[in-house]
Amino acid sequence: MKILTYFKKNAVFISFALIFILAFILRILFINRPDGLWYDELVIYNEISKPSLWAVIVDTIKIDIHFPLYNSLLYLWSKIFSTSDVALKFLSVVFSMATVVVSFFIGKNIKNSFLGIITMFIFAINSYQIYYSQEVKMYSLLYLLLCLNFLYLVKIIKNSEKLKYFIVFSIFSYLVLITYTSALVFIFVEYFLLSLYFYFYSQKAIKNFNLSLLTLFILNIPTFFIYLYNIDKFKSFHTSVYSDYSSLLVAFQNYLTPVFFAQATNPPHYFQTLISNLSLINVVFVILPLMISAYFLYRGLKLKDKSITVLASLISLFLISAVLAFKFSNFPLLSRYLSFILPLLLVCLSFGIESCIAKSNFSRVLFVAFILINLSYLVFSNNSVYKISRCGYKPLANYVNEFASNGDVLVVWNNPNIIDKYLENDLQKLVLLKNFAYTSDAILYNEDKLNKMKLDERKEFLREALISKEIPSNNILLLNTIQHHFKGKKFILTTTQNFDDFDRNSFIDLVNDEQKLKEMPYNSLLTIYAILNIKDFCNQNFKLINQKKDGYFVVYVYQM
């Protein structure tokens, strides 16, 4: 009896502790992957491998499209815990665990501790949160800062007389802005929505809101100059991702179901693909949790709670902004670019669950089913987020180390130093896109014209060059120069299986097929084009002495 009494008195604390432990276990399982870090993670590793914090900040501003907050924190973390793969990933685990804790206080501030516990549990088992908790990228930090932002958003809605809440809200808004570039759109939408809310429903708070806005403006004065510095990078970004309107379904699947996929790019016409290939697994682990989520979201919105109404309105306005950006620019509807709404969705979902399960046996059954679906997939599926391959680059580096010697020439995709973390030799490096694709005659001589076009227009403009079997003269000049200066050395071309699957004829067929050309991401198209040109030249002028096609990566070794 004493034990039962203790549990009843301390139910919130015990539930909090158990959920925290569960969240931690789910975030450290298989964290030490044998394939190492993947491309984007290695880019960040290279950015923090500088002699000082100031050098990291400057280098990030020069090279990266994102702001240096995460890289700065990771640099400081690495000085304490090393730059091993696990040490670097563990900072994201810390941020993700903090997000789970903050989610409890969001729920508690909206209604009560019971909602806090449900919200915490939903965050703890969310596959999307778990995936990015094991990645050396800024997303876990972003979700933590967003949750802190939303916590104070709830506070200023419920208690709009306290200026300190508004100031703290503006500080977290600023930190979100300097974590992720496209947060500019989200924060603008958030402040726009709040301005409407306070104008129509709480005019007494307008003074505090204006002070919050002023604080955010002052904090962002240095950031404004960084935006100006990087304006050309912003214009040319997002050129490697396919999107259509069904990509929104991909995002909601990733956010609300345990089946995570399409992290790098979207599958074409996903809704049609899902329906035409419907299976029991898809029904149970995709369709069913989406339907349960929709039910609880709807039931929660019907209650017209002020905080939830504002959060749901923020989701809607941001999605409308994203769709308009997709319609009229090159912005892709990719899950990670839309994931500002993820914490909002989970909070609204939790509110709907908490509001229903105390009143309805049917709702309790749905909630239990939702939990069992998520946990069973996480535990038993080979495709759960902590088990799926992330295409780390250590196997590629091992292949290169097997064949390369000092002074050999290495060709990689888009960053010359991408596998430096794992390389054992000093190599001369070139990149497929910058040194070959972007400098091919048709692109180099029409660079200004192409930069003003939408992606589909660029593909159409380049069609004639892409279907030509002639190697661009600029590529020939570069390869001849390499052969002259590095005669007797090895020329190592690296790529991935999806790019290497094409020969010249199948590539021409793809370019001539309107639908396939539209679905192929722009940079992927140029990558294949560059690979084919390099292979044609190498087969004519070098000797192929080895090749490796094992899983994801492909390596060709030529003797010059």
Side-chain angles (χ1 to χ4, degrees):
M1 290 296 293
K2 290 183 178 180
I3 294 176
L4 287 176
T5 304
Y6 175 82
F7 274 105
K8 286 180 181 179
K9 287 183 177 179
N10 298 279
V12 172
F13 173 76
I14 293 169
S15 299
F16 184 102
L18 291 174
I19 294 169
F20 186 88
I21 293 168
L22 173 65
F24 183 70
I25 292 171
L26 291 174
R27 281 154 179 76
I28 62 169
L29 285 173
F30 301 101
I31 195 171
N32 188 18
R33 296 172 181 272
D35 56 350
L37 307 182
W38 76 287
Y39 182 89
D40 284 9
E41 294 176 300
L42 288 169
V43 169
I44 289 178
Y45 165 78
N46 287 333
E47 288 173 356
I48 68 162
S49 298
K50 300 294 182 290
S52 67
L53 178 61
W54 178 248
V56 170
I57 294 171
V58 171
D59 191 66
T60 303
I61 292 171
K62 284 182 178 179
I63 296 173
D64 207 326
I65 197 165
H66 297 297
F67 292 97
L69 177 59
Y70 173 75
N71 285 7
S72 301
L73 295 173
L74 186 63
Y75 171 82
L76 296 173
W77 174 273
S78 69
K79 291 301 174 185
I80 300 171
F81 297 104
S82 85
T83 58
S84 70
D85 291 353
V86 173
L88 294 175
K89 290 179 180 182
F90 216 85
L91 180 59
S92 292
V93 174
V94 172
F95 290 142
S96 187
M97 292 303 301
T99 302
V100 172
V101 172
V102 173
S103 70
F104 167 81
F105 292 100
I106 295 174
K108 184 179 179 182
N109 275 267
I110 290 174
K111 192 173 182 181
N112 53 36
S113 294
F114 185 47
L115 175 57
I117 289 296
I118 290 178
T119 307
M120 186 182 182
F121 189 42
I122 295 298
F123 271 77
I125 65 170
N126 181 257
S127 288
Y128 203 86
Q129 294 272 342
I130 295 168
Y131 182 88
Y132 282 108
S133 71
Q134 295 190 348
E135 185 155 292
V136 186
K137 292 203 72 178
M138 76 291 295
Y139 293 103
S140 281
L141 172 62
L142 175 65
Y143 302 142
L144 171 60
L145 294 173
L146 283 169
C147 281
L148 288 165
N149 173 278
F150 301 149
L151 174 61
Y152 279 87
L153 174 60
V154 171
K155 285 178 179 288
I156 63 177
I157 290 169
K158 288 188 170 291
N159 193 345
S160 58
E161 296 178 358
K162 289 196 174 182
L163 177 59
K164 67 178 182 179
Y165 289 163
F166 283 85
I167 300 302
V168 176
F169 172 73
S170 62
I171 290 171
F172 284 125
S173 298
Y174 170 69
L175 292 174
V176 169
L177 280 170
I178 61 170
T179 299
Y180 202 71
T181 302
S182 55
L184 178 66
V185 176
F186 181 81
I187 297 299
F188 175 83
V189 169
E190 187 176 34
Y191 268 82
F192 173 73
L193 178 65
L194 282 177
S195 67
L196 295 178
Y197 174 80
F198 289 122
Y199 180 80
F200 287 107
Y201 298 106
S202 184
Q203 291 200 357
K204 292 180 181 179
I206 288 179
K207 180 181 178 182
N208 286 343
F209 175 74
N210 288 337
L211 289 172
S212 170
L213 194 59
L214 178 62
T215 303
L216 182 63
F217 176 79
I218 293 170
L219 289 171
N220 268 294
I221 290 174
T223 313
F224 174 74
F225 292 103
I226 298 176
Y227 270 109
L228 288 180
Y229 179 82
N230 285 324
I231 192 70
D232 290 334
K233 281 193 287 186
F234 298 151
K235 288 179 180 179
S236 61
F237 195 56
H238 302 323
T239 56
S240 300
V241 175
Y242 174 82
S243 288
D244 55 42
Y245 290 112
S246 70
S247 302
L248 290 171
L249 176 59
V250 176
F252 279 99
Q253 174 179 320
N254 282 334
Y255 302 157
L256 297 172
T257 83
V259 182
F260 176 91
F261 81 124
Q263 175 262 356
T265 189
N266 294 305
H269 314 298
Y270 180 61
F271 180 77
Q272 297 175 20
T273 304
L274 180 65
I275 298 302
S276 60
N277 296 297
L278 207 56
S279 65
L280 181 60
I281 290 177
N282 284 337
V283 170
V284 173
F285 295 108
V286 177
I287 304 297
L288 194 54
L290 282 175
M291 292 176 65
I292 294 173
S293 298
Y295 169 79
F296 282 124
L297 287 168
Y298 170 73
R299 291 294 301 271
L301 287 174
K302 279 186 68 177
L303 297 175
K304 297 182 179 179
D305 178 271
K306 281 196 302 184
S307 300
I308 294 300
T309 301
V310 171
L311 297 183
S313 301
L314 182 52
I315 293 171
S316 301
L317 277 178
F318 179 71
L319 286 178
I320 291 169
S321 302
V323 169
L324 290 173
F326 166 68
K327 175 73 174 175
F328 297 106
S329 74
N330 290 327
F331 180 81
L333 299 173
L334 190 65
S335 296
R336 65 179 187 266
Y337 300 154
L338 302 176
S339 62
F340 299 97
I341 69 169
L342 170 63
L344 293 169
L345 270 175
L346 298 184
V347 170
C348 292
L349 172 64
S350 303
F351 180 81
I353 292 170
E354 190 274 342
S355 302
C356 293
I357 60 176
K359 304 173 184 177
S360 165
N361 288 329
F362 176 70
S363 296
R364 283 194 284 273
V365 170
L366 287 183
F367 176 52
V368 171
F370 184 79
I371 298 303
L372 290 176
I373 287 168
N374 278 273
L375 289 178
S376 61
Y377 193 88
L378 282 169
V379 173
F380 299 112
S381 174
N382 290 328
N383 295 315
S384 63
V385 285
Y386 50 78
K387 296 177 187 176
I388 56 175
S389 171
R390 303 203 184 198
C391 302
Y393 272 54
K394 187 180 282 188
L396 175 61
N398 291 338
Y399 298 156
V400 173
N401 290 333
E402 182 181 341
F403 301 125
S405 305
N406 286 334
D408 288 342
V409 177
L410 175 68
V411 181
V412 293
W413 179 54
N414 195 28
N415 185 314
N417 305 314
I418 197 63
I419 54 175
D420 281 4
K421 188 177 196 294
Y422 306 121
L423 281 182
E424 297 173 356
N425 296 288
D426 184 18
L427 307 176
Q428 305 297 319
K429 299 156 195 159
L430 296 167
V431 295
L432 285 164
L433 286 176
K434 182 179 179 180
N435 297 121
F436 293 95
Y438 296 161
T439 58
S440 61
D441 305 21
I443 295 177
L444 186 64
Y445 301 144
N446 296 284
E447 186 175 3
D448 292 338
K449 189 182 294 186
L450 287 165
N451 286 337
K452 296 174 183 177
M453 296 179 183
K454 296 186 73 173
L455 297 184
D456 288 342
E457 293 171 345
R458 295 184 200 181
K459 295 176 188 178
E460 189 61 39
F461 181 84
L462 294 171
R463 186 193 293 268
E464 186 176 341
L466 295 174
I467 63 175
S468 172
K469 294 187 177 182
E470 293 185 9
I471 304 172
S473 59
N474 287 347
N475 288 179
I476 294 174
L477 179 62
L478 175 59
L479 288 164
N480 279 329
T481 303
I482 292 169
Q483 185 180 23
H484 174 74
H485 285 285
F486 298 97
K487 189 173 183 180
K489 293 292 185 179
K490 290 187 281 293
F491 182 92
I492 304 171
L493 172 64
T494 67
T495 184
T496 54
Q497 192 68 57
N498 57 317
F499 293 142
D500 192 62
D501 282 344
F502 292 88
D503 58 22
R504 185 69 73 172
N505 290 329
S506 61
F507 180 67
I508 292 172
D509 290 341
L510 181 148
V511 175
N512 284 327
D513 187 311
E514 294 289 342
Q515 187 60 39
K516 290 181 179 179
L517 182 64
K518 184 178 180 180
E519 294 172 358
M520 177 64 71
Y522 180 67
N523 273 347
S524 298
L525 191 74
L526 297 186
T527 299
I528 298 167
Y529 177 61
I531 290 170
L532 291 171
N533 290 326
I534 293 171
K535 285 166 70 175
D536 283 354
F537 181 92
C538 291
N539 290 332
Q540 295 170 21
N541 297 276
F542 302 157
K543 180 183 179 182
L544 179 66
I545 59 173
N546 219 321
Q547 68 181 57
K548 193 92 171 182
K549 294 187 179 184
D550 184 13
Y552 182 68
F553 294 105
V554 179
V555 178
Y556 292 95
V557 184
Y558 296 92
Q559 188 72 51
M560 290 188 283

